[in-house]
Amino acid sequence: MGKAEKSRIALPVGSNLDRFIMKNQEAFKYATGELSQLIRDLAYAGKVVNREINRAGLADITGAYGAENVQGEDQQNLDVAADIRFTRALQKGGEVAAIVSEENADIIDLNNPRAKYIIAIDPLDGSSNIDVNVSVGTIFSIYRRVSPLGSPVQMEDVLQAGKEQIAAGYILYGSSAMFVYTTGKGVNGFTYEPSLGEFILSHQNMKIPKEGNIFSINEGLSNHFDEPLEAYLNLCKDRSYSARYIGSLVADFHRNLLKGGIYIYPRTPKVPNGKLRLIYECNALAMVAEQAGGSASDGKQRILDIQPKSLHERVPFYVGSKRMVEEATMG
Ligand code: AHM
Ligand code: MG
C-alpha cells in the first residue's frame, strides 16, 4: 500500500447524524430523546425516498399516478410513495400526534394523543422535476402541540405561526442527498454516504452570505409582476447578477444558502397569494434561512410571524441573503 493510500484510509469519516444528534441533544431546550428520535425517523424515511428516486428511471415508477392532490395538481407516483414513507416512519416512531402534508386535505391524526409533536411536511416538493432527473426535496417543520396531552389533536395545534417551530429542515435529493436542519441553534448539513448508509456531517454551522449575486424567480411570469418587483429585478440585471431557477424550491434554496442569493415566488394575477404554502413549504425554509443569518418575507412581513388561518394557505415568498431580501421587499 502506498503512502497516499495509507493516509487516505486513516482519514476520519466524520460525525454521522445519529452521533451529532446525541451530542447536541442536551444543548436543546426541549432536550428529550423523543425529538432526537423524530429527526432520526425523518432521516430514515429520507434515505428510503432517496433510494426510490435513484432508481426511478429504471423501476417504471415515474409518471402520473392518475390522481389529484388537494390543490388539484397531478400526483406523481413518487409523491405518493414519499408521502407513504414519511407518514409510516412518523407513525411507527410514536412521537408525532398529527401530520399536515401537502398531499392530504385534512390533518392526519396519528391517534397518538400522548405524543408531543406536530409535523408539517411536503414529502416531495418539485416533483414535476422527477421525470427529467432534476433535484427534488422534502421540507419539514416540527412543532410542539399546544392542546393538552392526551386529548384529541386540535386545529390550533397545527395552525401555529412559524416562529413556534422547534425544529425545521429539508432533505435535498440532488447529485448527493443532503439532510439540512436546525433546532434553533444554527444550521447543520449532512451529506448521504451511500456505501455506509449514513448522513455524515459535511456542512457545520451553515451561514448564508449577507449579500449575494444570484436571483431565482420564474421570469416567464414577469409580465404579471408588480412594479417594485420589476424594479428590483432590473437592479439585479443592471448589476449583472446571475439568474438561476431550477423550479425545485429546495434545490434553489440550497444553492442560494451556500452561495448567497434570493429566491422569489411573488403574487401574480393567477396566484394572488403566491404559489407556495406557508405551513409546509415556506415556514421551514424561513427558519433555516434565519438561523443561517438570512431572512424570509412575504413582501410585507416576516414569514415566521404570520398566523396561519388554514392548512393549505399560500403566501408570496422572498427568501435568502438578508440584504437582498431587504432590498427586494423595500418598495
Ligand atoms: P409543488 O409543491 O407542486 O412541487 O410546487 C412547488 C414548486 C417549487 O418547488 C418550485 O419552486 C415552484 O413550484 C415552481 O413553480 P413554477 O413552475 O410556477 O415556477
Ligand atoms: Mg410542494
Side-chain angles (χ1 to χ4, degrees), residues 124-145:
L124 206 58
D125 183 72
S127 52
S128 62
N129 277 322
I130 289 169
D131 287 355
V132 291
N133 232 333
V134 171
S135 301
V136 288
T138 296
I139 307 171
F140 61 88
S141 296
I142 305 177
Y143 295 85
R144 277 170 85 85
R145 61 177 296 181

Side-chain angles (χ1 to χ4, degrees), residues 69 71 73 102-103 122-127 137 139 249 275-277 280-281:
N69 70 5
Q71 267 81 228
E73 299 151 339
E102 173 166 337
E103 301 301 328
D122 184 350
L124 206 58
D125 183 72
S127 52
I139 307 171
L249 174 60
K275 176 183 182 189
L276 300 175
R277 279 51 64 110
Y280 45 79
E281 291 178 327

Side-chain angles (χ1 to χ4, degrees), residues 46-64:
K47 287 182 201 174
V48 179
V49 169
N50 184 48
R51 185 191 64 183
E52 304 295 326
I53 288 170
N54 284 336
R55 61 183 198 191
L58 288 172
D60 194 24
I61 52 173
T62 56

Side-chain angles (χ1 to χ4, degrees), residues 88-139:
R88 194 180 292 159
L90 295 170
Q91 188 152 30
K92 286 209 171 137
E95 300 84 19
V96 177
I99 303 174
V100 187
S101 158
E102 173 166 337
E103 301 301 328
N104 292 279
D106 301 314
I107 302 172
I108 308 167
D109 189 332
L110 296 182
N111 293 319
N112 203 359
R114 303 224 66 84
K116 292 191 193 107
Y117 299 105
I118 304 287
I119 299 281
I121 190 162
D122 184 350
L124 206 58
D125 183 72
S127 52
S128 62
N129 277 322
I130 289 169
D131 287 355
V132 291
N133 232 333
V134 171
S135 301
V136 288
T138 296
I139 307 171

